[in-house]
Amino acid sequence: MLSTDKLCAVVAVPDVKSMQVQVVRALRKTSTVELRLDWLAGDAEITEFLLWLGKTSIGKGATLLATCRRRTAGGKYEGSIPTQIAHLERAIEAGCNWYDLEVESSSVCRPELLHILRRGRRLASAHFFDKLPGNLKAVASALDRNRPAAIKIAAQCDSLAEARRLSSFAQARNDLIAIPMGEIAAPARILALRERHGFAYAPAEAATAPGQTSLDEMQSVYRAEKLNRSTLVYGVIGDPISHSLSPRMHNAAFASGRIDAVYLPFLVRDLKDFVGSIKPLRIAGFSVTIPHKERILKYLDVCDPLAEAIGAVNTVVVRRGKLHGYNTDYVGILRSLERRIRLRGSRVLILGAGGVARAVAFALAEAGAAVCICARRPVKANELARVTRGTAMPRSALCKEFFDAIVNATPVGMHPNSDESPLDGPELNCRLVFDTIYRPRITRLLQLATRRGIETVPGVEMFISQGAAQWEMWTQKRAPVKVMQRAVLLALEHEEEKRPAR
Ligand code: NAP
């Protein structure tokens, strides 16, 4: 393979200065770096960068891979094949020990041109941006022509099954780098690192394509260099999933407990494809989020009775190959409310009648509280009130009612609509307001409640509690709640800092 490193930082920026800065920074984190010369603005910039590289000593002892991929192969280089080869030759002179040459160029260029590059080691590459080719053997044989030092096949994979097919093909030989591309295949790219010859590319700074994981995230969130065949795999399934804070929270907990486990975001559109990958990818448990919380029920072998009554599962534990489903969504709300009010005999208003509202209503009813449901569709409110022996209530009645607590289980007020509130000030006649929303951390509803002197609980508390309960089910250990909380709050603060002021 290219080097003993498992991670190759990809530096792909259009100007020379940024490329120099990123190379220096990347080499502090890994000693294998791909230089995407084709990303530089033109021939003059490539020459300027390589002159700098030749003069500096920063790359000494490192594995530097030069790539100047032409447009015909999905790169950005617009020059001819001879100028492409000339740049690669200069890159080798400047200290790059490897170069990547795509099959589109190598198959048509004259042998004497390739001979110019003999002092570098060739990575022969093929890219399939639309779909995974049916005959991978034929692709590999085409790449093997002219005896490169290693070969690389990068292909769009639209399912985990396709990603697995590409990865298993690569496992048969140790000089083949397989890159399943696309967001659905992203976890498979990270899990490939469990294998002895596992290797992955990661953008040195920000990701440049969907499903890419930056070098920093690979190292600090997924501890990619430590993954091995015995690493336990957990994750969260949903669509969309890239916004999920669960990987930060659960991986921080695994790291703090020195547990050999990783938690990955799975973009799942086809639940059957994911369920079929649980065994081959050796997944030990997972969280479930929108839109799969109800749909997952039919794939379970065992379902907790409360989760069954709620009709939604957010946690799956895999025990001896069998899927056991639970719901921990209500845990946070119940714990937070319990700390502040006596649930038995209390009166709690729930806004909404969706998945979270159902979980909260069932749990509160079981704890002896009287639940009132207010939802925009009266038929849904009536149905939930009926099964939890509660009362459905129209919004027009709220001004005249008093509750021990009000729980918002609708997305009203969630970023980017953070100016909205599901209720107005005069409708907040209660001792406590709980908002399940955690983006933003302090919603408009919570601000209105504070102004009226009402105690508030932000949704992040629920998020951490449901996650801690999942983590405990998977590990059978006490969850490091403080660590999880720190990871989530830090991520939310970063997000809020990056958001343009409204
Ligand atoms: P869901 O199943 O889609 O239910 C959403 C409920 O809100 C439904 O009753 C829906 O009514 C209602 N609703 C949607 N838009 C509305 C609007 N503009 N005005 C009035 N009602 C509206 O979603 P869920 O899974 O229950 O999640 C609900 C919220 O909980 C999410 O938005 C999320 O912020 C929060 N949540 C928090 C956590 C946490 O850990 N803190 C975890 C999960 C969810 P219809 O049926 O008429 O559409």
Side-chain angles (χ1 to χ4, degrees):
M1 215 43 108
L2 251 65
S3 72
T4 49
D5 289 323
K6 281 190 161 196
L7 291 177
C8 174
V10 181
V11 177
V13 272
D15 68 283
V16 175
K17 187 84 210 135
S18 309
M19 195 163 234
Q20 291 168 342
V21 169
Q22 285 205 13
V23 170
V24 173
R25 282 209 289 247
L27 282 167
R28 287 193 200 121
K29 300 176 195 164
T30 177
S31 56
T32 303
V33 177
E34 179 184 35
L35 307 169
R36 287 295 301 264
L37 302 175
D38 55 313
W39 271 65
L40 287 166
D43 290 322
E45 283 77 5
I46 298 177
T47 307
E48 187 189 338
F49 173 76
L50 291 175
L51 273 173
W52 169 81
L53 187 69
K55 283 193 203 133
T56 152
S57 58
I58 53 130
K60 290 252 160 13
T63 300
L64 298 182
L65 165 69
T67 299
C68 191
R69 190 166 303 136
R70 296 181 71 230
R71 273 204 187 274
T72 44
K76 286 184 185 273
Y77 188 61
E78 287 178 339
S80 64
I81 295 179
T83 50
Q84 175 191 27
I85 304 279
H87 286 313
L88 292 176
E89 186 191 5
R90 269 195 291 272
I92 295 165
E93 275 165 19
C96 292
N97 23 23
W98 282 82
Y99 66 95
D100 178 320
L101 191 61
E102 63 269 19
V103 70
E104 290 83 349
S105 289
S106 64
S107 59
V108 295
C109 86
R110 297 191 314 273
E112 55 274 27
L113 265 181
L114 277 187
H115 190 68
I116 295 175
L117 304 173
R118 70 192 176 283
R119 283 193 296 128
R121 307 190 75 196
R122 178 155 59 100
L123 176 65
S125 63
H127 301 80
F128 301 88
F129 294 99
D130 293 333
K131 66 179 177 90
L132 180 69
N135 190 346
L136 288 170
K137 255 194 190 153
V139 174
S141 338
L143 287 171
D144 279 334
R145 240 169 264 147
N146 299 319
R147 298 217 226 119
I151 66 172
K152 179 182 107 178
I153 303 175
Q156 174 67 26
C157 291
D158 293 325
S159 66
L160 286 171
E162 286 189 349
R164 287 189 347 250
R165 181 160 80 82
L166 180 56
S167 302
S168 354
F169 180 73
Q171 272 161 34
R173 48 193 278 188
N174 62 13
D175 62 344
L176 197 169
I177 299 171
I179 312 291
M181 291 191 286
E183 202 181 343
I184 291 176
R189 277 204 299 283
I190 299 179
L191 291 180
L193 295 171
R194 290 185 295 179
E195 305 305 325
R196 204 152 72 88
H197 299 293
F199 187 80
Y201 289 85
E205 312 251 318
T208 52
Q212 284 184 345
T213 311
S214 72
L215 180 65
D216 195 37
E217 264 183 288
M218 280 279 199
Q219 293 177 321
S220 62
V221 180
Y222 302 110
R223 296 181 293 158
E225 280 132 330
K226 291 202 171 131
L227 301 183
N228 61 80
R229 295 213 98 216
S230 49
T231 302
L232 291 170
V233 180
Y234 298 92
V236 53
I237 64 166
D239 178 15
I241 204 61
S242 57
H243 66 286
S244 175
L245 294 175
S246 296
R248 295 217 169 242
M249 176 171 68
H250 286 292
N251 284 315
F254 287 136
S256 88
R258 294 180 196 284
I259 296 173
D260 184 12
V262 67
Y263 182 102
L264 302 166
F266 287 85
L267 171 68
V268 172
R269 302 219 162 101
D270 175 0
L271 205 43
K272 215 163 141 204
D273 173 51
F274 175 77
V275 173
S277 297
I278 293 173
K279 198 169 165 201
L281 291 180
R282 306 192 299 278
I283 294 168
F286 54 97
S287 317
V288 186
T289 186
I290 293 172
H292 301 303
K293 284 186 182 181
E294 290 91 25
R295 296 177 198 165
I296 192 72
L297 263 89
K298 76 167 184 206
Y299 294 96
L300 299 177
D301 297 291
V302 184
C303 187
D304 171 70
L306 185 55
E308 194 147 21
I310 294 167
V313 155
N314 79 328
T315 311
V316 174
V317 185
V318 184
R319 295 192 188 104
R320 282 183 229 92
K322 300 266 186 268
L323 306 189
H324 296 246
Y326 303 89
N327 192 312
T328 67
D329 271 339
Y330 66 86
V331 173
I333 300 187
L334 216 60
R335 279 190 195 156
S336 304
L337 293 185
E338 261 166 0
R339 244 179 270 142
R340 293 161 174 107
I341 57 176
R342 204 179 113 84
L343 289 181
R344 185 157 297 283
S346 66
R347 194 165 183 248
V348 181
L349 172 71
I350 299 169
L351 304 175
V356 168
R358 279 183 75 82
V360 178
F362 272 96
L364 284 175
E366 206 170 86
V371 293
C372 300
I373 316 288
C374 176
R376 65 175 170 186
R377 281 192 288 160
V379 55
K380 295 275 285 178
N382 286 335
E383 199 266 322
L384 183 54
R386 186 180 56 79
V387 292
T388 53
R389 294 183 306 280
T391 321
M393 199 166 274
R395 185 166 170 184
S396 56
L398 298 184
C399 279
K400 290 179 233 105
E401 297 285 339
F402 185 86
F403 302 97
D404 291 291
I406 296 180
V407 178
N408 174 32
T410 76
V412 183
M414 188 155 73
H415 171 76
N417 303 314
S418 40
D419 292 342
E420 294 174 6
S421 168
L423 294 182
D424 296 327
E427 293 167 309
L428 299 176
N429 301 311
C430 60
R431 288 161 55 198
L432 182 76
V433 172
F434 192 118
D435 203 337
T436 62
I437 293 171
Y438 55 85
R439 277 187 178 102
R441 278 173 299 164
I442 307 298
T443 58
R444 177 114 185 93
L445 174 70
L446 296 185
Q447 288 171 2
L448 289 176
T450 305
R451 249 178 252 158
R452 292 173 74 87
I454 301 168
E455 194 181 347
T456 60
V457 188
V460 72
E461 231 181 79
M462 165 184 172
F463 181 72
I464 291 156
S465 302
Q466 61 82 33
Q470 297 182 319
W471 200 87
E472 290 180 356
M473 279 183 195
W474 294 326
T475 61
Q476 302 294 314
K477 292 180 199 298
R478 212 188 172 104
V481 176
K482 285 253 150 34
V483 171
M484 298 170 97
Q485 191 174 34
R486 206 177 315 128
V488 171
L489 291 177
L490 206 68
L492 284 172
E493 270 165 32
H494 274 298
E495 275 184 23
E496 283 171 17
E497 275 164 20
K498 275 200 270 168
R499 235 172 250 157
R502 290 168 67 94

PDB file of all heavy atoms in Angstrom, residues 290 293 329 352-357 376-377 380 409-412 414 436-438 459 462-463 466, ligand 1:
ATOM      1  N   ILE A 290     -35.793  10.013  12.453  1.00  0.00           N
ATOM      2  CA  ILE A 290     -36.742  10.256  11.348  1.00  0.00           C
ATOM      3  C   ILE A 290     -36.138   9.834  10.013  1.00  0.00           C
ATOM      4  O   ILE A 290     -34.981  10.145   9.772  1.00  0.00           O
ATOM      5  CB  ILE A 290     -37.111  11.761  11.323  1.00  0.00           C
ATOM      6  CG1 ILE A 290     -37.917  12.085  12.594  1.00  0.00           C
ATOM      7  CG2 ILE A 290     -37.868  12.164  10.076  1.00  0.00           C
ATOM      8  CD1 ILE A 290     -38.186  13.575  12.810  1.00  0.00           C
ATOM      9  N   LYS A 293     -38.380   5.555  12.652  1.00  0.00           N
ATOM     10  CA  LYS A 293     -38.740   5.127  14.013  1.00  0.00           C
ATOM     11  C   LYS A 293     -39.925   4.162  14.055  1.00  0.00           C
ATOM     12  O   LYS A 293     -39.981   3.293  14.911  1.00  0.00           O
ATOM     13  CB  LYS A 293     -39.066   6.350  14.877  1.00  0.00           C
ATOM     14  CG  LYS A 293     -37.841   7.108  15.321  1.00  0.00           C
ATOM     15  CD  LYS A 293     -38.229   8.207  16.273  1.00  0.00           C
ATOM     16  CE  LYS A 293     -37.022   8.989  16.690  1.00  0.00           C
ATOM     17  NZ  LYS A 293     -37.332  10.048  17.638  1.00  0.00           N
ATOM     18  N   ASP A 329     -36.791   7.909  24.006  1.00  0.00           N
ATOM     19  CA  ASP A 329     -37.110   9.322  23.771  1.00  0.00           C
ATOM     20  C   ASP A 329     -37.784   9.969  24.976  1.00  0.00           C
ATOM     21  O   ASP A 329     -37.635  11.152  25.215  1.00  0.00           O
ATOM     22  CB  ASP A 329     -38.033   9.471  22.551  1.00  0.00           C
ATOM     23  CG  ASP A 329     -37.239   9.614  21.270  1.00  0.00           C
ATOM     24  OD1 ASP A 329     -36.043   9.987  21.352  1.00  0.00           O
ATOM     25  OD2 ASP A 329     -37.797   9.343  20.189  1.00  0.00           O
ATOM     26  N   GLY A 352     -48.561  18.646  20.051  1.00  0.00           N
ATOM     27  CA  GLY A 352     -48.198  17.724  18.983  1.00  0.00           C
ATOM     28  C   GLY A 352     -48.697  16.328  19.303  1.00  0.00           C
ATOM     29  O   GLY A 352     -48.999  16.011  20.473  1.00  0.00           O
ATOM     30  N   ALA A 353     -48.802  15.519  18.236  1.00  0.00           N
ATOM     31  CA  ALA A 353     -49.272  14.149  18.455  1.00  0.00           C
ATOM     32  C   ALA A 353     -48.444  13.178  17.615  1.00  0.00           C
ATOM     33  O   ALA A 353     -48.909  12.124  17.197  1.00  0.00           O
ATOM     34  CB  ALA A 353     -50.753  14.052  18.092  1.00  0.00           C
ATOM     35  N   GLY A 354     -47.180  13.571  17.344  1.00  0.00           N
ATOM     36  CA  GLY A 354     -46.286  12.715  16.548  1.00  0.00           C
ATOM     37  C   GLY A 354     -45.550  11.715  17.422  1.00  0.00           C
ATOM     38  O   GLY A 354     -45.991  11.399  18.538  1.00  0.00           O
ATOM     39  N   GLY A 355     -44.388  11.260  16.925  1.00  0.00           N
ATOM     40  CA  GLY A 355     -43.631  10.203  17.603  1.00  0.00           C
ATOM     41  C   GLY A 355     -43.221  10.570  19.018  1.00  0.00           C
ATOM     42  O   GLY A 355     -43.449   9.806  19.967  1.00  0.00           O
ATOM     43  N   VAL A 356     -42.601  11.762  19.187  1.00  0.00           N
ATOM     44  CA  VAL A 356     -42.119  12.154  20.518  1.00  0.00           C
ATOM     45  C   VAL A 356     -43.314  12.384  21.449  1.00  0.00           C
ATOM     46  O   VAL A 356     -43.304  11.961  22.608  1.00  0.00           O
ATOM     47  CB  VAL A 356     -41.218  13.409  20.421  1.00  0.00           C
ATOM     48  CG1 VAL A 356     -40.955  14.000  21.795  1.00  0.00           C
ATOM     49  CG2 VAL A 356     -39.909  13.048  19.738  1.00  0.00           C
ATOM     50  N   ALA A 357     -44.368  13.029  20.923  1.00  0.00           N
ATOM     51  CA  ALA A 357     -45.565  13.287  21.744  1.00  0.00           C
ATOM     52  C   ALA A 357     -46.134  11.961  22.251  1.00  0.00           C
ATOM     53  O   ALA A 357     -46.502  11.846  23.426  1.00  0.00           O
ATOM     54  CB  ALA A 357     -46.608  14.033  20.911  1.00  0.00           C
ATOM     55  N   ARG A 376     -52.439  20.198  15.911  1.00  0.00           N
ATOM     56  CA  ARG A 376     -53.139  20.949  14.863  1.00  0.00           C
ATOM     57  C   ARG A 376     -54.193  20.092  14.164  1.00  0.00           C
ATOM     58  O   ARG A 376     -55.129  20.609  13.595  1.00  0.00           O
ATOM     59  CB  ARG A 376     -52.143  21.543  13.861  1.00  0.00           C
ATOM     60  CG  ARG A 376     -51.365  20.536  13.050  1.00  0.00           C
ATOM     61  CD  ARG A 376     -50.504  21.222  12.024  1.00  0.00           C
ATOM     62  NE  ARG A 376     -49.582  20.270  11.413  1.00  0.00           N
ATOM     63  CZ  ARG A 376     -48.627  20.609  10.567  1.00  0.00           C
ATOM     64  NH1 ARG A 376     -48.455  21.871  10.225  1.00  0.00           N
ATOM     65  NH2 ARG A 376     -47.839  19.698  10.043  1.00  0.00           N
ATOM     66  N   ARG A 377     -54.025  18.779  14.218  1.00  0.00           N
ATOM     67  CA  ARG A 377     -55.059  17.896  13.638  1.00  0.00           C
ATOM     68  C   ARG A 377     -55.828  17.261  14.792  1.00  0.00           C
ATOM     69  O   ARG A 377     -55.309  16.353  15.472  1.00  0.00           O
ATOM     70  CB  ARG A 377     -54.415  16.825  12.767  1.00  0.00           C
ATOM     71  CG  ARG A 377     -54.029  17.406  11.391  1.00  0.00           C
ATOM     72  CD  ARG A 377     -53.668  16.333  10.428  1.00  0.00           C
ATOM     73  NE  ARG A 377     -52.374  15.696  10.702  1.00  0.00           N
ATOM     74  CZ  ARG A 377     -52.020  14.516  10.242  1.00  0.00           C
ATOM     75  NH1 ARG A 377     -52.879  13.788   9.532  1.00  0.00           N
ATOM     76  NH2 ARG A 377     -50.826  14.017  10.504  1.00  0.00           N
ATOM     77  N   LYS A 380     -55.830  13.497  15.346  1.00  0.00           N
ATOM     78  CA  LYS A 380     -54.625  12.880  15.910  1.00  0.00           C
ATOM     79  C   LYS A 380     -54.588  13.097  17.433  1.00  0.00           C
ATOM     80  O   LYS A 380     -54.199  12.207  18.187  1.00  0.00           O
ATOM     81  CB  LYS A 380     -53.364  13.499  15.285  1.00  0.00           C
ATOM     82  CG  LYS A 380     -53.211  13.242  13.804  1.00  0.00           C
ATOM     83  CD  LYS A 380     -52.554  11.937  13.500  1.00  0.00           C
ATOM     84  CE  LYS A 380     -51.061  11.979  13.760  1.00  0.00           C
ATOM     85  NZ  LYS A 380     -50.418  10.687  13.514  1.00  0.00           N
ATOM     86  N   ALA A 409     -43.783  19.189  21.661  1.00  0.00           N
ATOM     87  CA  ALA A 409     -43.294  18.050  20.868  1.00  0.00           C
ATOM     88  C   ALA A 409     -43.624  18.276  19.390  1.00  0.00           C
ATOM     89  O   ALA A 409     -43.890  17.329  18.654  1.00  0.00           O
ATOM     90  CB  ALA A 409     -43.897  16.753  21.387  1.00  0.00           C
ATOM     91  N   THR A 410     -43.594  19.558  18.975  1.00  0.00           N
ATOM     92  CA  THR A 410     -43.730  19.887  17.541  1.00  0.00           C
ATOM     93  C   THR A 410     -42.408  20.521  17.105  1.00  0.00           C
ATOM     94  O   THR A 410     -41.623  20.959  17.956  1.00  0.00           O
ATOM     95  CB  THR A 410     -44.862  20.908  17.278  1.00  0.00           C
ATOM     96  OG1 THR A 410     -44.393  22.217  17.662  1.00  0.00           O
ATOM     97  CG2 THR A 410     -46.132  20.573  18.032  1.00  0.00           C
ATOM     98  N   PRO A 411     -42.174  20.611  15.804  1.00  0.00           N
ATOM     99  CA  PRO A 411     -40.926  21.264  15.381  1.00  0.00           C
ATOM    100  C   PRO A 411     -41.053  22.792  15.283  1.00  0.00           C
ATOM    101  O   PRO A 411     -40.138  23.442  14.783  1.00  0.00           O
ATOM    102  CB  PRO A 411     -40.679  20.651  13.996  1.00  0.00           C
ATOM    103  CG  PRO A 411     -41.987  20.149  13.530  1.00  0.00           C
ATOM    104  CD  PRO A 411     -42.909  19.995  14.686  1.00  0.00           C
ATOM    105  N   VAL A 412     -42.149  23.361  15.788  1.00  0.00           N
ATOM    106  CA  VAL A 412     -42.345  24.811  15.659  1.00  0.00           C
ATOM    107  C   VAL A 412     -41.345  25.560  16.548  1.00  0.00           C
ATOM    108  O   VAL A 412     -41.323  25.351  17.769  1.00  0.00           O
ATOM    109  CB  VAL A 412     -43.802  25.212  16.024  1.00  0.00           C
ATOM    110  CG1 VAL A 412     -44.010  26.716  15.822  1.00  0.00           C
ATOM    111  CG2 VAL A 412     -44.797  24.425  15.190  1.00  0.00           C
ATOM    112  N   MET A 414     -38.031  25.516  15.543  1.00  0.00           N
ATOM    113  CA  MET A 414     -36.739  24.885  15.254  1.00  0.00           C
ATOM    114  C   MET A 414     -36.011  25.702  14.175  1.00  0.00           C
ATOM    115  O   MET A 414     -36.661  26.257  13.284  1.00  0.00           O
ATOM    116  CB  MET A 414     -37.000  23.460  14.754  1.00  0.00           C
ATOM    117  CG  MET A 414     -35.744  22.654  14.621  1.00  0.00           C
ATOM    118  SD  MET A 414     -36.125  20.907  14.769  1.00  0.00           S
ATOM    119  CE  MET A 414     -36.927  20.559  13.258  1.00  0.00           C
ATOM    120  N   THR A 436     -38.765  20.283  23.385  1.00  0.00           N
ATOM    121  CA  THR A 436     -37.938  19.150  22.920  1.00  0.00           C
ATOM    122  C   THR A 436     -36.923  19.595  21.876  1.00  0.00           C
ATOM    123  O   THR A 436     -35.982  18.867  21.567  1.00  0.00           O
ATOM    124  CB  THR A 436     -38.818  18.033  22.309  1.00  0.00           C
ATOM    125  OG1 THR A 436     -39.502  18.562  21.186  1.00  0.00           O
ATOM    126  CG2 THR A 436     -39.788  17.470  23.313  1.00  0.00           C
ATOM    127  N   ILE A 437     -37.127  20.791  21.322  1.00  0.00           N
ATOM    128  CA  ILE A 437     -36.210  21.299  20.285  1.00  0.00           C
ATOM    129  C   ILE A 437     -34.865  21.680  20.904  1.00  0.00           C
ATOM    130  O   ILE A 437     -34.830  22.274  21.988  1.00  0.00           O
ATOM    131  CB  ILE A 437     -36.849  22.541  19.602  1.00  0.00           C
ATOM    132  CG1 ILE A 437     -38.082  22.104  18.805  1.00  0.00           C
ATOM    133  CG2 ILE A 437     -35.850  23.275  18.721  1.00  0.00           C
ATOM    134  CD1 ILE A 437     -38.910  23.245  18.277  1.00  0.00           C
ATOM    135  N   TYR A 438     -33.755  21.325  20.236  1.00  0.00           N
ATOM    136  CA  TYR A 438     -32.452  21.743  20.767  1.00  0.00           C
ATOM    137  C   TYR A 438     -31.638  22.563  19.769  1.00  0.00           C
ATOM    138  O   TYR A 438     -30.500  22.927  20.035  1.00  0.00           O
ATOM    139  CB  TYR A 438     -31.646  20.543  21.276  1.00  0.00           C
ATOM    140  CG  TYR A 438     -31.441  19.437  20.280  1.00  0.00           C
ATOM    141  CD1 TYR A 438     -30.401  19.486  19.371  1.00  0.00           C
ATOM    142  CD2 TYR A 438     -32.280  18.333  20.276  1.00  0.00           C
ATOM    143  CE1 TYR A 438     -30.198  18.466  18.473  1.00  0.00           C
ATOM    144  CE2 TYR A 438     -32.090  17.309  19.382  1.00  0.00           C
ATOM    145  CZ  TYR A 438     -31.053  17.379  18.475  1.00  0.00           C
ATOM    146  OH  TYR A 438     -30.860  16.368  17.573  1.00  0.00           O
ATOM    147  N   GLY A 459     -34.349  21.382  25.175  1.00  0.00           N
ATOM    148  CA  GLY A 459     -34.392  20.054  24.550  1.00  0.00           C
ATOM    149  C   GLY A 459     -33.076  19.300  24.604  1.00  0.00           C
ATOM    150  O   GLY A 459     -33.059  18.070  24.500  1.00  0.00           O
ATOM    151  N   MET A 462     -33.068  16.541  27.047  1.00  0.00           N
ATOM    152  CA  MET A 462     -33.740  15.316  26.589  1.00  0.00           C
ATOM    153  C   MET A 462     -32.814  14.529  25.655  1.00  0.00           C
ATOM    154  O   MET A 462     -32.717  13.305  25.736  1.00  0.00           O
ATOM    155  CB  MET A 462     -35.011  15.699  25.845  1.00  0.00           C
ATOM    156  CG  MET A 462     -35.609  14.595  25.015  1.00  0.00           C
ATOM    157  SD  MET A 462     -37.037  15.230  24.104  1.00  0.00           S
ATOM    158  CE  MET A 462     -37.410  13.844  23.055  1.00  0.00           C
ATOM    159  N   PHE A 463     -32.122  15.273  24.788  1.00  0.00           N
ATOM    160  CA  PHE A 463     -31.248  14.617  23.817  1.00  0.00           C
ATOM    161  C   PHE A 463     -30.147  13.817  24.525  1.00  0.00           C
ATOM    162  O   PHE A 463     -29.875  12.664  24.192  1.00  0.00           O
ATOM    163  CB  PHE A 463     -30.635  15.675  22.877  1.00  0.00           C
ATOM    164  CG  PHE A 463     -29.745  15.079  21.839  1.00  0.00           C
ATOM    165  CD1 PHE A 463     -30.273  14.353  20.785  1.00  0.00           C
ATOM    166  CD2 PHE A 463     -28.364  15.206  21.928  1.00  0.00           C
ATOM    167  CE1 PHE A 463     -29.450  13.765  19.839  1.00  0.00           C
ATOM    168  CE2 PHE A 463     -27.535  14.630  20.988  1.00  0.00           C
ATOM    169  CZ  PHE A 463     -28.078  13.916  19.939  1.00  0.00           C
ATOM    170  N   GLN A 466     -31.723  10.717  26.410  1.00  0.00           N
ATOM    171  CA  GLN A 466     -32.094   9.578  25.565  1.00  0.00           C
ATOM    172  C   GLN A 466     -30.838   8.871  25.060  1.00  0.00           C
ATOM    173  O   GLN A 466     -30.786   7.650  24.943  1.00  0.00           O
ATOM    174  CB  GLN A 466     -33.052   9.975  24.421  1.00  0.00           C
ATOM    175  CG  GLN A 466     -32.565  11.006  23.394  1.00  0.00           C
ATOM    176  CD  GLN A 466     -31.695  10.430  22.305  1.00  0.00           C
ATOM    177  OE1 GLN A 466     -31.875   9.297  21.889  1.00  0.00           O
ATOM    178  NE2 GLN A 466     -30.702  11.206  21.856  1.00  0.00           N
TER     179      GLN A 466
HETATM  180  P1  NAP B   1     -43.271  13.963  14.193  1.00  0.00           P
HETATM  181  O1  NAP B   1     -43.563  12.540  14.441  1.00  0.00           O
HETATM  182  O2  NAP B   1     -43.154  14.460  12.802  1.00  0.00           O
HETATM  183  O3  NAP B   1     -44.401  14.827  14.952  1.00  0.00           O
HETATM  184  C1  NAP B   1     -44.430  16.225  14.864  1.00  0.00           C
HETATM  185  C2  NAP B   1     -45.727  16.728  15.459  1.00  0.00           C
HETATM  186  O4  NAP B   1     -45.703  18.151  15.337  1.00  0.00           O
HETATM  187  C3  NAP B   1     -46.967  16.243  14.705  1.00  0.00           C
HETATM  188  O5  NAP B   1     -48.042  16.213  15.604  1.00  0.00           O
HETATM  189  C4  NAP B   1     -47.173  17.380  13.696  1.00  0.00           C
HETATM  190  O6  NAP B   1     -48.486  17.500  13.253  1.00  0.00           O
HETATM  191  C5  NAP B   1     -46.822  18.563  14.540  1.00  0.00           C
HETATM  192  N1  NAP B   1     -46.444  19.701  13.711  1.00  0.00           N
HETATM  193  C6  NAP B   1     -45.533  19.730  12.725  1.00  0.00           C
HETATM  194  N2  NAP B   1     -45.448  20.964  12.209  1.00  0.00           N
HETATM  195  C7  NAP B   1     -46.339  21.718  12.880  1.00  0.00           C
HETATM  196  C8  NAP B   1     -46.741  23.077  12.791  1.00  0.00           C
HETATM  197  N3  NAP B   1     -46.178  23.913  11.903  1.00  0.00           N
HETATM  198  N4  NAP B   1     -47.710  23.529  13.633  1.00  0.00           N
HETATM  199  C9  NAP B   1     -48.280  22.699  14.530  1.00  0.00           C
HETATM  200  N5  NAP B   1     -47.948  21.393  14.661  1.00  0.00           N
HETATM  201  C10 NAP B   1     -46.991  20.912  13.841  1.00  0.00           C
HETATM  202  O7  NAP B   1     -41.892  14.382  14.898  1.00  0.00           O
HETATM  203  P2  NAP B   1     -41.310  13.820  16.275  1.00  0.00           P
HETATM  204  O8  NAP B   1     -40.361  12.712  16.000  1.00  0.00           O
HETATM  205  O9  NAP B   1     -42.409  13.609  17.223  1.00  0.00           O
HETATM  206  O10 NAP B   1     -40.434  15.054  16.750  1.00  0.00           O
HETATM  207  C11 NAP B   1     -41.052  16.228  17.210  1.00  0.00           C
HETATM  208  C12 NAP B   1     -39.990  17.197  17.667  1.00  0.00           C
HETATM  209  O11 NAP B   1     -39.294  16.655  18.767  1.00  0.00           O
HETATM  210  C13 NAP B   1     -38.927  17.439  16.609  1.00  0.00           C
HETATM  211  O12 NAP B   1     -39.222  18.597  15.909  1.00  0.00           O
HETATM  212  C14 NAP B   1     -37.649  17.588  17.375  1.00  0.00           C
HETATM  213  O13 NAP B   1     -37.272  18.950  17.485  1.00  0.00           O
HETATM  214  C15 NAP B   1     -37.968  17.078  18.745  1.00  0.00           C
HETATM  215  N6  NAP B   1     -37.107  15.953  19.109  1.00  0.00           N
HETATM  216  C16 NAP B   1     -36.231  16.164  20.098  1.00  0.00           C
HETATM  217  C17 NAP B   1     -35.422  15.153  20.500  1.00  0.00           C
HETATM  218  C18 NAP B   1     -34.426  15.403  21.582  1.00  0.00           C
HETATM  219  O14 NAP B   1     -33.697  14.482  21.901  1.00  0.00           O
HETATM  220  N7  NAP B   1     -34.410  16.568  22.168  1.00  0.00           N
HETATM  221  C19 NAP B   1     -35.520  13.868  19.918  1.00  0.00           C
HETATM  222  C20 NAP B   1     -36.453  13.687  18.901  1.00  0.00           C
HETATM  223  C21 NAP B   1     -37.238  14.748  18.514  1.00  0.00           C
HETATM  224  P3  NAP B   1     -48.989  16.720  11.917  1.00  0.00           P
HETATM  225  O15 NAP B   1     -49.154  15.285  12.322  1.00  0.00           O
HETATM  226  O16 NAP B   1     -50.260  17.402  11.604  1.00  0.00           O
HETATM  227  O17 NAP B   1     -47.925  16.928  10.880  1.00  0.00           O
END
